[in-house]
Amino acid sequence: MVRQECINCKATYGIDDIVYFCKKCGDILEIKFDINELTENIDIYDWKTKPISVWRYRPFMPIHESAKLITLGEGGTGLHHSEHLGTELCINNLYIKNEGENPTGSFKDRGMTVGVTKAIELGARHVICASTGNTSASLAAYAARAGIRCTVLIPSGKIAYGKLSQAMIHGAKVLQVKGNFDEALEFVFKLGEKHKEIYLLNSINPFRIEGQKSLGYEICDQLNYETPDAIVIPVGNAGNISAVWKGLTEFYQLGLIKKLPKMIGIQAQGSAPIAHAIKTGNDKIIPVENPETIATAIRIGAPVSWKKAINAIQESHGTAETVTDEEILDAQKTLARIEGIFVEPASASSIAGLKKLIKKGIVLENEKIVCITTGHGLKDPDTAIKQSEKPIEVDANIEAIETTLDLRKAILAR
Ligand SMILES: *Cc1c(COP(=O)(O)O)cnc(C)c1O
Ligand SMILES: [Zn+2]
């Protein structure tokens, strides 16, 4: 039977029980399938004939047959063979899985289409999350699509304007709590406890992870079931790396792929509890008090899914790396200039991390690598503008424009 299971004590709960933490030990939950049952489901459904998207994998999702899907066409993002960047980094086989191509511009949509579909199934009319950006942008859009109320709590301080504008235009009630992210999150849990009609769609929600595991499935499908050697992925709360790994292991158990890739998690230097645990060979993280990085989407000191992430990295014989803000911005610019892919800073950390691992000889020239870029560059236009050349003001005549473009010399030489 498909169920929710505690990752620690293995206590189980039904998929229609509204529980956010294990009632016995307080740890987080994950969705578990019985592999034989899953095999039967997917045989009936003929999923391979459906277009690549999250709902191609409907029989792999813990959603009832009768559910009304709340969808905006998420998933099915491009897996781009990146020859220019590959050459620059000295590897032959580099792919970019660009999650900025999702409906609201980040991979969060994969989780929210399933999470909000589940919320509707459970009869919820009001959804809530705490977020520094993309989660609220995505939740607001899916709540609008479903026609239900949406509240988002954002911490005080700077938040990337692209993301905030999305939550606002989709009609979410945006509350800026005078406190940090952890405090905002605490209020979300309290509200959920006090008001049973509000459904929580924070990072711990295991139905979101189910949607996000489709990212792992899609990579396999798009590579014709030839598993890459490694998948490089930015890590904040660590839900996504856990989700991708879950998808891959399910495909492996079903016999759809013959081997599993290494999972490589990248964190920003000022916010890297998981990378530090991995590098020091620890099974536990030490939370970072005041996480700092320009990559706001991964500025998280106490990642909720750290256990799942460490497990994914260890089980896959992968690794973790940290990158500086400077390296992140450099990677963002390079990717935009030589591949035409504009991503937000957090996303570029996977590219920056890969570069470092190649230099260190941990990733090798002939390996097939997939880098996940998690969100679109327009999410944070300020950062992009700050590190680009300003528009050049010119007089309104052709000679002035030609001079500025260095075209005059050619004309004079003629
Ligand atoms: C949420 C997010 C991340 C971090 O993902 P986690 O699941 O929290 O590790 C990275 N990049 C972007 C753009 C995001 O929106
Ligand atoms: Zn438990």
Side-chain angles (χ1 to χ4, degrees):
M1 270 281 275
V2 54
R3 60 195 179 275
Q4 305 191 70
E5 190 178 286
C6 170
I7 65 164
N8 176 44
C9 77
K10 311 291 171 198
T12 62
Y13 306 89
I15 56 165
D16 295 319
D17 292 347
I18 302 184
V19 276
Y20 302 109
F21 293 103
C22 177
K23 288 176 186 163
K24 299 209 172 88
C25 76
D27 216 324
I28 58 173
L29 307 173
E30 67 180 333
I31 306 291
K32 281 275 181 165
F33 287 90
D34 178 66
I35 274 300
N36 295 328
E37 197 182 352
L38 196 52
T39 308
E40 273 168 37
N41 280 354
I42 63 177
D43 281 351
I44 300 166
Y45 185 76
D46 195 19
W47 58 281
K48 281 194 182 174
T49 62
K50 305 283 190 289
I52 290 226
S53 73
V54 172
W55 293 107
R56 168 184 169 99
Y57 310 104
R58 179 162 181 167
F60 301 77
M61 298 297 164
I63 296 292
H64 297 293
E65 203 64 42
S66 57
K68 176 175 185 295
L69 303 186
I70 308 300
T71 174
L72 290 162
E74 46 293 314
T77 56
L79 182 70
H80 307 282
H81 191 199
S82 302
E83 291 178 41
H84 293 145
L85 188 61
T87 305
E88 173 114 354
L89 299 181
C90 304
I91 51 170
N92 302 328
N93 238 330
L94 174 63
Y95 293 84
I96 308 250
K97 178 71 169 161
N98 186 21
E99 288 294 290
E101 296 168 31
N102 275 296
T104 78
S106 84
F107 72 82
K108 300 294 196 296
D109 294 343
R110 293 180 184 274
M112 285 305 176
T113 184
V114 176
V116 174
T117 293
K118 190 71 205 174
I120 295 297
E121 230 182 40
L122 294 169
R125 306 296 307 160
H126 187 176
V127 287
I128 188 170
C129 72
S131 155
T132 54
N134 285 332
T135 297
S136 47
S138 183
L139 182 59
Y142 284 87
R145 183 83 175 154
I148 58 173
R149 230 175 125 180
C150 176
T151 302
V152 306
L153 266 49
I154 58 174
S156 62
K158 201 180 154 280
I159 162 162
Y161 263 122
K163 306 176 188 185
L164 187 57
S165 69
Q166 290 177 291
M168 289 163 69
I169 196 74
H170 288 304
K173 184 72 90 186
V174 183
L175 305 183
Q176 187 154 36
V177 179
K178 293 178 184 167
N180 62 25
F181 175 78
D182 292 336
E183 288 170 291
L185 186 61
E186 207 42 52
F187 287 121
V188 166
F189 290 130
K190 285 202 176 119
L191 285 167
E193 221 167 79
K194 257 182 116 165
H195 304 273
K196 296 296 175 209
E197 73 278 14
I198 307 182
Y199 188 65
L200 273 49
L201 275 161
N202 258 97
S203 302
I204 50 142
N205 187 302
F207 294 94
R208 280 181 57 195
I209 302 288
E210 288 306 291
Q212 287 171 214
K213 75 183 178 184
S214 63
L215 182 43
Y217 295 162
E218 283 186 10
I219 291 171
C220 299
D221 273 347
Q222 288 171 312
L223 290 174
N224 268 320
Y225 306 99
E226 300 277 336
T227 326
D229 293 294
I231 296 180
V232 187
I233 177 167
V235 173
N237 255 318
N240 208 32
I241 190 170
S242 314
V244 172
W245 180 241
K246 187 172 196 282
L248 294 164
T249 50
E250 284 174 0
F251 261 28
Y252 183 74
Q253 285 170 344
L254 291 165
L256 290 165
I257 50 173
K258 298 282 172 293
K259 64 167 203 160
L260 286 162
K262 288 179 273 192
M263 297 301 290
I264 301 181
I266 310 297
Q267 295 200 292
Q269 200 167 68
S271 166
I274 292 173
H276 284 142
I278 293 291
K279 284 177 176 225
T280 52
N282 262 319
D283 287 343
K284 281 206 174 78
I285 59 153
I286 304 166
V288 175
E289 277 293 323
N290 293 304
E292 246 334 305
T293 167
I294 194 159
T296 50
I298 53 171
R299 190 172 66 200
I300 292 177
V304 290
S305 295
W306 65 269
K307 273 189 200 168
K308 291 185 187 177
I310 288 184
N311 177 56
I313 291 170
Q314 287 177 343
E315 243 179 55
S316 70
H317 309 287
T319 188
E321 188 54 87
T322 61
V323 289
T324 64
D325 282 0
E326 204 185 335
E327 289 166 329
I328 288 174
L329 292 175
D330 184 57
Q332 182 193 29
K333 211 167 177 174
T334 304
L335 187 59
R337 303 231 162 144
I338 69 178
E339 292 293 351
I341 298 175
F342 179 24
V343 303
E344 67 168 287
S347 308
S349 68
S350 57
I351 309 294
L354 175 63
K355 187 171 173 182
K356 225 167 181 171
L357 291 167
I358 292 167
K359 269 208 186 116
K360 288 186 175 179
I362 294 169
V363 169
L364 306 175
E365 187 181 343
N366 286 319
E367 287 183 313
K368 182 160 53 174
I369 306 294
V370 174
C371 263
I372 297 176
T373 53
T374 41
H376 200 286
L378 285 174
K379 294 280 191 173
D380 187 0
D382 295 350
T383 305
I385 287 172
K386 256 189 227 142
Q387 65 157 342
S388 304
E389 194 187 323
K390 300 284 164 297
I392 305 163
E393 205 171 347
V394 290
D395 289 333
N397 68 62
I398 186 88
E399 289 81 12
I401 293 172
E402 284 171 337
T403 304
T404 311
L405 293 178
D406 258 344
L407 298 171
R408 287 294 286 175
K409 279 179 239 130
I411 292 172
L412 295 175
R414 228 183 255 157

